[in-house]
């Protein structure tokens, strides 16, 4: 299978840079699948699961937060606030964050505080979804 170069960058670190056979990510237009020689494009990334395949390896998963993806000249750039592998996710902490965000949503707060709570809840639930999708592999 042909490859392309991918750069997956989180705000605090380089998550992965190197060859990639395929990449799937949640965007504002739905799930986007990218293979070698994809047409140029730019899209907003939504919180969700990033799936990518490195040549000769099993598919990789990551929980990603909002950001953007750019495809150009057989290179893909993914810029997100955070990217975490399933084994890096602390499920207990994510559950606590989800519970706190749900509680904050029930409070009478400003519109901005409500939006922050919604974003925190979405991130925590996404982290739990990615963690649980690989839990059966760790047993």
């Amino acid at each position: 299978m042909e490859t392309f170069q991918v750069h997956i960058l989180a705000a605090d670190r380089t998550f992965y840079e190197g060859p990639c056979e395929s990449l799937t990510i949640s965007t504002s237009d739905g799930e986007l699948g990218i293979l070698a020689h994809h047409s140029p494009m730019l899209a907003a990334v939504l919180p969700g699961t990033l799936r990518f395949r490195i040549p000769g390896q099993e598919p990789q998963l990551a929980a990603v937060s909002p950001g953007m993806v750019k495809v150009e000249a057989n290179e893909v750039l993914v810029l997100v606030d955070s990217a975490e592998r399933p084994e890096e996710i602390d499920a207990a902490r994510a559950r606590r964050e989800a519970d706190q965000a749900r509680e904050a949503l029930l409070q009478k707060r400003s519109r901005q505080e409500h939006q922050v709570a919604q974003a925190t809840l979405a991130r925590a639930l996404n982290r739990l979804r990615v963690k649980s999708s690989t839990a059966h592999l760790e047993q």
Side-chain angles (χ1 to χ4, degrees):
M1 178 176 254
E2 288 193 61
T3 64
F4 55 92
Q5 277 298 114
V6 68
H7 309 274
I8 304 170
L9 307 175
D12 62 344
R13 66 181 171 148
T14 298
F15 183 79
Y16 174 75
E17 286 190 308
C20 185
E21 293 178 343
S22 65
L23 183 140
T24 305
I25 194 164
S26 297
T27 71
S28 53
D29 294 327
E31 286 285 312
L32 174 66
I34 300 170
L35 297 172
H37 309 293
H38 192 285
S39 58
M41 57 147 299
L42 183 65
V45 171
L46 299 179
T49 303
L50 168 70
R51 293 174 193 78
F52 62 103
R53 184 181 287 272
I54 298 168
Q57 294 188 21
E58 292 293 314
Q60 309 283 313
L61 292 179
V64 296
S65 60
M68 52 113 7
V69 59
K70 179 177 109 173
V71 181
E72 186 175 59
N74 214 35
E75 282 201 37
V76 176
L77 174 63
V78 178
L79 297 173
V80 290
D81 291 333
S82 67
E84 297 174 281
R85 289 178 172 80
E87 62 272 14
E88 297 172 333
I89 296 171
D90 180 341
R93 183 173 148 233
R95 279 192 286 278
R96 281 193 307 275
E97 288 172 353
D99 290 343
Q100 291 169 351
R102 285 186 187 103
E103 182 63 33
L105 287 171
L106 295 173
Q107 306 292 322
K108 295 246 184 230
R109 296 179 181 238
S110 71
R111 181 183 181 118
Q112 181 180 7
E113 289 173 322
H114 186 79
Q115 289 172 334
V116 167
Q118 283 180 315
T120 301
L121 179 59
R123 179 173 182 259
L125 293 176
N126 180 56
R127 293 173 73 223
L128 288 169
R129 191 170 35 254
V130 170
K131 180 74 171 177
S132 68
S133 72
T134 60
H136 68 282
L137 299 175
E138 296 171 359
Q139 295 176 357

